[in-house]
Each structure stands twice: as C-alpha cells, then as structure tokens.
Amino acid sequence: MAIFGPCFAAVFSVVSFLLVASAVPLDVSYDERGIKLNDQSRIIISGSIHYPRSTPEMWGDLIKKAKEGGLNAIETYVFWNAHEPLYRQYDFEGNKDLVRFIKTIQDAGLYAILRIGPYVCAEWNYGGFPVWLHNLPGVELRTNNTVYQNEMKTFVTLIVDMMQKHGLFAIQGGPIIVAQIENEYGNVEWAYGNNGKSYINWCAQLAESYGVQVPWIMCQQSDAPSPMINTCNGYYCDQFSPNNPKSPKWWTENWSGWFKDWGMKDPHRTAEDLAFAVARFFQYGGSLQNYYMYHGGTNFDRTAGGPYITTSYDYDAPLDEYGNLNQPKWGHLKRLHELIMSMEEILTHGVKRDVDYGNMMSGTVYVYKGKQSCFLGNANQNQDFTVNLMGSSYTVPAWSVSILPDCYTEVYNTAKINSQQTVMVKLPNEADDQTEPNELQWDWRPEHPESLHHGVAKGSVTTANELLDQKTVTNDTSDYLWYLTSLDLSKNDSLAGKAITLHVHTNGHIVHAFVNGKHVGSQWGTSDHLEFIMEKDIKLKHGKTNSISLLSVTVGLQNYGANFDTVNVGIHGPVKLIGNKGQSDEVTVDLSTNSWTYKVGLNGMEEKGLQLDNARHQHGWKSYNLPSNRLLVWYKTTFKAPLGSDPVVVDLQGLGKGTAWVNGHNIGRFWPSFVASEDGCTTTCDYRGAYNSNKCLTNCGDPSQRWYHIPRSFLQDDGNKLVLFEEFGGTPLHVRFQTITAGTICATTDEKKQLELSCQGGRVMSEIKFASFGEPTGVCGSYARGSCEAPNTLSVIQKQCLGQESCTLDVSENTFGPTGCHQNVYRLAVEATCDSP
Ligand code: GAL
C-alpha cells in the first residue's frame, strides 16, 4: 500500500537533490504487518539514543555498539529548548548537531526514527519546550491556540526542512524511515476537551503537509487520525493493537529500565524480563520495537527535567551512562535480535496461528513458503510448564518465551542467559600523582548573598509588588532567583517585642533564606512533594531596615502531565512574618505584596563567569582556609586526565548540592548529599513477574548519585580545571577522578553455544578465578563445582584467554573434554579478572 501523495516533489529542492545525488532513495510504505522498504516487509529493532545526552565524539561508538547489539535503527527525540533556548536564537552546535547525529546513524548503515514532538517529555527540562514559549502573550500550550501552533509549526518546519536539505529522509537516500509528531498526547487529551481533539487533528495535518514520504506516528494516541499510526509505550506491549486496523503493531518505548530522581535508589530491569517482553511482542505479531533507552546517557547542564531528576540518565539501558556494554543485558538481547532478524521473512509474511495451552501458556506458529517458526510463551509468574509441540515436549520456565525457528529446536529462551556478566570497577587516576583525593589543591571564594541593604549587584533585576513565578522571571536562563525585600519594623508595630517566625510558602524546589545577610535556613522538596512551607525563627532589628533575601532554586522544570507547563515554580507565597506563633497574641504581617526585587542568577556565575574556561575574573580566589560546610561557595582545582580510553568520572562524595564544570563544560547538577532511604533493596532479583520501579533496587542508604560523567572530549592531557558551585555546604576534600572499566567478568553458558568473554579499554584477562564445565551452580562471585566436570576446563580457558582482551569459547565436550555427567545439557561457568597488561 503506497501511502503518500505526489506533493513531495514540490518541496524537494534542487539543492537538496544535488546534495544527496549519490544516496540510494528508499521508498517507505506500510501495511498492517509492518513497514515496507522498497516494497520489502521489514522488522525494525531500534534503540533510543538522545544526541544531547552524550557527545559527538561518543556517538560513533554508541551507534556501533547498538549495531553490534543487533539493532537496525536508532531513535531520537528532537529537543526544542536545546535548539532554541531563546526566541529565534538557534543552536545546532556540538552535541546539539542533529544533522551530524543522523548522518552518524546513516554512516553506520542503520535507519533512523525521528520523534520531533516538539513536546517530548523525556525527563528533559520542561518536556522540551522553551520557557519563552510559555511567556508569549496569549499562548496556551499543546492545544488549539494560534500563538502556540504558529510556534510549533515554525519549529517543526525548521527541523523537517533541515533534514530535507541534508537529504536525510529515506526517499532522498537518507536513514529516516519514520517520524513522530506530539508525544503521548492521548494520556492527557481529556484535560483539553474539544480543543484537544482538534489540536491532534491539526498535528496530523501538519505532519502530512510536509509530504516527506515516511509514516508518521503518534505514540499512546488511541484516537490517532488516519494515516497517523498509534503506537504503544510501556513495559509490555504484546496485547496492544492500534486503533486503525490498517496500522501495524509498533512499540515506540520499551522501557529498558527506569530513570532516577534525587533521593531514589537504582532501579534495575532484568535482561530476562526485557527479553521476555520483546519476544512476546514478536510472538504476537509486532514488527517495530524500540528500546527506551538503549543508551540513556547524561543530563548535562540544566537539561534534566521532571523536576528532581538526577544528572545521570543511565536508565539501566543496554549501554550504560558512559557507553559501556551493560552485561548481560546487551549480550542477551543481541542474541535475541539476531534470531528475530533471521526470522524476518516468516514473521512479516507468515500465516500466524495461536495455540492456548491454558495456565497462561501459549504457542504461536508462523507458516510461510513451506517453512514454520514457533514461539512458546509462559506468562505464569511461578510455574514452569512442559508442553507438547509437534510431537516433542518442551519445558518453558516461568515468565519466559522459547523460540524455535524451525519449530523443533529451541534456539533461545528468554530466561536462559548465555552472555557474559560484567562487574564494572572504578580505578584511581594513575596519570596524576594526586591519587589520594586530599592531595588535590583547592582554591575557593564565597558567593555573597544578595541583599537590598547593599544595593543589588548588577545583572538582571526586576521589581514588582507581588511574588512572581520563577520561570517567568528567569526565562529559564538560570536555576537561581533571588527574591529580595526589606522591612522597617517601626512600621509594623504589631510585631514589637514578639518572637518572630519567617514563613515562606513555595512551589519548589529549594529555598535558602537570609535575614540581614545571615543564613536562617534552607529547605527542599522531593519529586512527590514539590510544594512546601519553610518556617524559621528569626531575629529582626528594631529601628533599622531589615533585609530578607530568599534564594529560590529550581532543579529542572516539570515535564509531564496535563497542563504541566502552567505549573508555577518558585516562591508563590504567602511570605509572612508571624509574631508569637501559636500563642494567643499571634499576629501576622504578610509580605507577599511588599515591593520585591528579583535578581536572576548568581554573581559568580552570571557576572563573573567563574565557571568558564577563560573566566573573566581570575582574582579573588583563596588557596588557604578552605571552608567546609559553608553555604554558597565556589571551589576549583586542576587535575591531569586519566590515561587510556576508559570513561572518566568524578566522585563528588562529601559535597552537598550544586553544579560542576570541567574546562567550562557544565557536567550537570550534583547532589550527593541526597541519600536514598535504607529500605527496599534486595541482594537477589527475581526476574519473574511484571516489572515495576520498586523491583530489584540497589543503592539503599547511599547518595542517589555520587559519580558524575566527564566525557573524554571535555579533557586535555594536563591542566584540566574542575569548578564547583556548592550551595548547601560540604567538603571538596574527598573529590577524586576515576575511570570505569570491566573488573570481573562472569558467565554461565549452556553447551553447544559460543561464549565471548571480553574485558575493555586494553585490559586483559589476568586470572581465571573459576572454571567448570559440567553441572556448576551459584552466581558470579560464588560459583561452585557440581558432582562432575570436564577436568581440563580451567587449563583450556587459561590457554585461550589469559593475556587476551577477549576470547571466544566453543562450549562443548570437544573443547573441554568429557564431563562424565549424565545431564541432558551441560553448562560452563567461568569467572575471570581483567587487569592492565
Ligand atoms: C514516556 C515518555 C518518555 C519518557 C518515558 C519515561 O511516557 O513518552 O518521553 O518520559 O515516559 O522515561
């Protein structure tokens, strides 16, 4: 079925044609079974990699690892506020170079799925919307509103034109085969009434109007107007069917793990459960599946949104935050992908027949051109089942799917992992003599609280007789906004002689209060409770003007929910002084309608640029009397880049909360003093049963994020500068730089499989700590021998692997010799240590 009209030719400029003349155009269409590329039905296995969450220097490697992991497509959102942070001031440089990212996908020979949005959610600041959009007069976001729609159209058109100009759509020979407009609008459409409905129709028309000859999707949009394809997002999408019977069954977000809030533990979604969900989706006729995320990466700068989302966006994805293989997840899925792709023709063309065995056990047979392929799925959480298929019996473990590409041989079971598990380690920075953290040399300088007493330091200043929404005032150019006022007690006689409490009601996210320049208290909310009241006992001076300075700090703006864009942030009031609180003569003086002066940002940051590589002000730093537990302070140090190519992190243990820069690059907010609660972690993790974000947690009682990624491209060999702005008070004395690499590798693999063992970063296997082929038991770190084994296993593996960065073993009696066991299937368990050669 061809789905596109002829209008494309009109917008396809001569310039773009010349640019892509050598690329091979691909005709994209679809039917209810799936996408067709040049009329060939295809399975698409895709993974999300968001270009601004890594660096251009990392993109090639991430995409290569995605391809090696068996993906044939990469998906990304487009981040409007990254590209147009200020009205009509565009940025497509560095890690915002969308064209370069898409071309890197193309160079790797993969397809691209472009989710333009431009609302994206994504745990990204303000869901991707620029705050200037919210500040436009008469605007209402994500609904039938001309001011908004004109802006949305301008941005989407800019992106579509840019992709066309560079020949990046499939019909031009580019990699983009699918595009998305809006994002999960169906979840909130009810809140916008009839306007929501007409808005979504308008979105569909806008998408179609570009004539770019790719299918457009709308995820979680059960009323998607044809020809928009409604797609599924979630942990399991096997039971999903699109609203239009002519649409294929597509899964845009298979959540490979979950994101993290400050104060949260580390969530883990097991490889077995993820593979189970994928296998079931293909069993039940799905044909496009995307991991959200395949590489989560890092929320650099102030891009984390939510609020209270951590700087790390690791997501427990198949590639970890730094781009390392997250094993065994990466390897277990790779084997599944290769198998599914080998069945592409039968899955996209075959006649499908389902068999219900009862007890949540199901079978599916695909038949095409005299061949057949089978799936056996067991969705029961506790019980393994043995069933008969074409005359043979098969045992399918609980919560797993077996795939038999010829309906006789089980080639894959989602609960049986035959890939290496890698235990990552952090190594000291050997390039630097300062391997001990307290040997780093620190300079510091204070950030003085603003106060009306001394006249507000220059910068962006506004006044109003009311408490203003923080993002409206800052236009989101900074996390920091000073709310400043003053009062003369003689004009408020009612307070005379009373104990005074300062009462501040805020919508979040952090408040530091100063009275006459003295800190009187700090408080913050959590992702569940953004709004809070801070009350502090204070002392005021009689007969003099008292200054009240409130520093309100945002930790990323709201990104999700109906009308999320209208949620106020900052001190919305009331701000009151309460005399003799709780007593019979209690009095209140409301300061909310006082004259308030607003100062955007910090003096050290906005005016002095202390964080910049070539800071305008070098003087004023002290190298003596290094303070700890001091509020509002700048620290800086220099360090050498760790040798080698392994990813670099800085351990910020000991610090409170703030922002960190390396050589002028903002590596994100830090908050190691926000510790996850002690309860709810498990040492073992049962993959069986539906995933939820309380399952398989680790990191209880530890900082929710202690290590912060410094991409290699931010570093030079020597003389690197780390600048920290510390907001709460802490000590930099425990700060140190480390690299992350494979420390221990483990695997248990069934016989007749190939096993690849691999260290990384030039490190090699220095010791085989355990090896047994037969009936070994236990888990990584505590494997035990069974009653029988092939006696040569250790020496064979030592011979093949010691001193190597990687080695591949043929797991069989041919390799290791006879086991003397009487099992049906033997297993190999091996544990090795990776070290510098
Ligand atoms: C989805 C959304 C994504 C992301 C995800 C959670 O609802 O579409 O952008 O926010 O949730 O990680």
Side-chain angles (χ1 to χ4, degrees), residues 119 142 188 192 558-565:
Y119 165 69
R142 299 184 84 192
V188 294
Y192 299 85
Q558 194 83 32
N559 76 321
Y560 181 69
N563 300 307
F564 75 89
D565 49 290

mmCIF file of all heavy atoms in Angstrom, residues 119 142 188 192 558-565:
data_model
loop_
_atom_site.group_PDB
_atom_site.id
_atom_site.type_symbol
_atom_site.label_atom_id
_atom_site.label_comp_id
_atom_site.label_asym_id
_atom_site.label_seq_id
_atom_site.Cartn_x
_atom_site.Cartn_y
_atom_site.Cartn_z
ATOM 1 N N TYR A 119 6.842 18.581 21.748
ATOM 2 C CA TYR A 119 6.790 18.199 23.166
ATOM 3 C C TYR A 119 7.349 16.777 23.231
ATOM 4 O O TYR A 119 6.947 15.920 22.445
ATOM 5 C CB TYR A 119 5.351 18.225 23.702
ATOM 6 C CG TYR A 119 5.266 17.485 25.016
ATOM 7 C CD1 TYR A 119 5.865 18.011 26.155
ATOM 8 C CD2 TYR A 119 4.662 16.234 25.105
ATOM 9 C CE1 TYR A 119 5.858 17.304 27.353
ATOM 10 C CE2 TYR A 119 4.642 15.528 26.302
ATOM 11 C CZ TYR A 119 5.244 16.071 27.416
ATOM 12 O OH TYR A 119 5.252 15.374 28.599
ATOM 13 N N ARG A 142 0.039 23.065 23.815
ATOM 14 C CA ARG A 142 -0.491 21.741 23.476
ATOM 15 C C ARG A 142 -2.012 21.767 23.308
ATOM 16 O O ARG A 142 -2.697 20.825 23.717
ATOM 17 C CB ARG A 142 -0.107 20.694 24.522
ATOM 18 C CG ARG A 142 1.389 20.493 24.669
ATOM 19 C CD ARG A 142 1.690 19.389 25.640
ATOM 20 N NE ARG A 142 1.650 18.064 25.052
ATOM 21 C CZ ARG A 142 1.648 16.942 25.746
ATOM 22 N NH1 ARG A 142 1.631 16.979 27.057
ATOM 23 N NH2 ARG A 142 1.635 15.768 25.143
ATOM 24 N N VAL A 188 -3.312 12.726 28.041
ATOM 25 C CA VAL A 188 -3.772 13.961 28.701
ATOM 26 C C VAL A 188 -4.875 14.677 27.923
ATOM 27 O O VAL A 188 -5.376 15.707 28.363
ATOM 28 C CB VAL A 188 -2.591 14.951 28.910
ATOM 29 C CG1 VAL A 188 -1.577 14.390 29.885
ATOM 30 C CG2 VAL A 188 -1.920 15.321 27.598
ATOM 31 N N TYR A 192 -8.017 18.692 27.831
ATOM 32 C CA TYR A 192 -8.112 19.826 26.902
ATOM 33 C C TYR A 192 -9.458 19.876 26.171
ATOM 34 O O TYR A 192 -9.652 20.715 25.294
ATOM 35 C CB TYR A 192 -6.948 19.773 25.899
ATOM 36 C CG TYR A 192 -5.584 19.864 26.572
ATOM 37 C CD1 TYR A 192 -4.961 18.722 27.089
ATOM 38 C CD2 TYR A 192 -4.931 21.082 26.713
ATOM 39 C CE1 TYR A 192 -3.723 18.799 27.718
ATOM 40 C CE2 TYR A 192 -3.694 21.170 27.339
ATOM 41 C CZ TYR A 192 -3.100 20.022 27.844
ATOM 42 O OH TYR A 192 -1.871 20.099 28.464
ATOM 43 N N GLN A 558 9.057 21.017 35.460
ATOM 44 C CA GLN A 558 8.044 19.976 35.215
ATOM 45 C C GLN A 558 8.090 19.523 33.750
ATOM 46 O O GLN A 558 8.261 20.352 32.860
ATOM 47 C CB GLN A 558 6.679 20.604 35.503
ATOM 48 C CG GLN A 558 5.555 19.642 35.628
ATOM 49 C CD GLN A 558 5.500 19.043 37.035
ATOM 50 O OE1 GLN A 558 5.843 19.694 38.002
ATOM 51 N NE2 GLN A 558 5.098 17.803 37.114
ATOM 52 N N ASN A 559 7.910 18.215 33.523
ATOM 53 C CA ASN A 559 7.972 17.745 32.132
ATOM 54 C C ASN A 559 6.770 16.913 31.706
ATOM 55 O O ASN A 559 6.696 16.488 30.569
ATOM 56 C CB ASN A 559 9.246 16.923 31.901
ATOM 57 C CG ASN A 559 9.144 15.527 32.493
ATOM 58 O OD1 ASN A 559 8.591 15.361 33.573
ATOM 59 N ND2 ASN A 559 9.664 14.541 31.805
ATOM 60 N N TYR A 560 5.858 16.640 32.619
ATOM 61 C CA TYR A 560 4.790 15.707 32.245
ATOM 62 C C TYR A 560 3.472 16.060 32.925
ATOM 63 O O TYR A 560 3.470 16.614 34.027
ATOM 64 C CB TYR A 560 5.190 14.271 32.635
ATOM 65 C CG TYR A 560 4.145 13.251 32.258
ATOM 66 C CD1 TYR A 560 3.905 12.955 30.918
ATOM 67 C CD2 TYR A 560 3.373 12.619 33.224
ATOM 68 C CE1 TYR A 560 2.923 12.046 30.552
ATOM 69 C CE2 TYR A 560 2.392 11.699 32.871
ATOM 70 C CZ TYR A 560 2.178 11.421 31.529
ATOM 71 O OH TYR A 560 1.200 10.519 31.166
ATOM 72 N N GLY A 561 2.383 15.679 32.290
ATOM 73 C CA GLY A 561 1.050 15.829 32.883
ATOM 74 C C GLY A 561 0.223 16.848 32.112
ATOM 75 O O GLY A 561 0.765 17.689 31.385
ATOM 76 N N ALA A 562 -1.095 16.774 32.294
ATOM 77 C CA ALA A 562 -1.969 17.741 31.629
ATOM 78 C C ALA A 562 -1.607 19.137 32.124
ATOM 79 O O ALA A 562 -1.442 19.340 33.327
ATOM 80 C CB ALA A 562 -3.424 17.419 31.967
ATOM 81 N N ASN A 563 -1.451 20.064 31.230
ATOM 82 C CA ASN A 563 -1.128 21.464 31.567
ATOM 83 C C ASN A 563 0.108 21.609 32.456
ATOM 84 O O ASN A 563 0.207 22.545 33.247
ATOM 85 C CB ASN A 563 -2.319 22.126 32.290
ATOM 86 C CG ASN A 563 -3.547 22.131 31.416
ATOM 87 O OD1 ASN A 563 -3.482 22.597 30.276
ATOM 88 N ND2 ASN A 563 -4.641 21.579 31.903
ATOM 89 N N PHE A 564 1.060 20.698 32.301
ATOM 90 C CA PHE A 564 2.263 20.755 33.151
ATOM 91 C C PHE A 564 2.989 22.089 32.997
ATOM 92 O O PHE A 564 3.660 22.557 33.918
ATOM 93 C CB PHE A 564 3.233 19.609 32.801
ATOM 94 C CG PHE A 564 3.975 19.828 31.517
ATOM 95 C CD1 PHE A 564 5.188 20.502 31.527
ATOM 96 C CD2 PHE A 564 3.464 19.397 30.298
ATOM 97 C CE1 PHE A 564 5.877 20.745 30.347
ATOM 98 C CE2 PHE A 564 4.137 19.636 29.122
ATOM 99 C CZ PHE A 564 5.344 20.316 29.141
ATOM 100 N N ASP A 565 2.846 22.685 31.815
ATOM 101 C CA ASP A 565 3.586 23.917 31.519
ATOM 102 C C ASP A 565 3.104 25.092 32.362
ATOM 103 O O ASP A 565 3.800 26.090 32.501
ATOM 104 C CB ASP A 565 3.439 24.260 30.033
ATOM 105 C CG ASP A 565 1.983 24.201 29.594
ATOM 106 O OD1 ASP A 565 1.423 23.093 29.529
ATOM 107 O OD2 ASP A 565 1.398 25.276 29.366
#
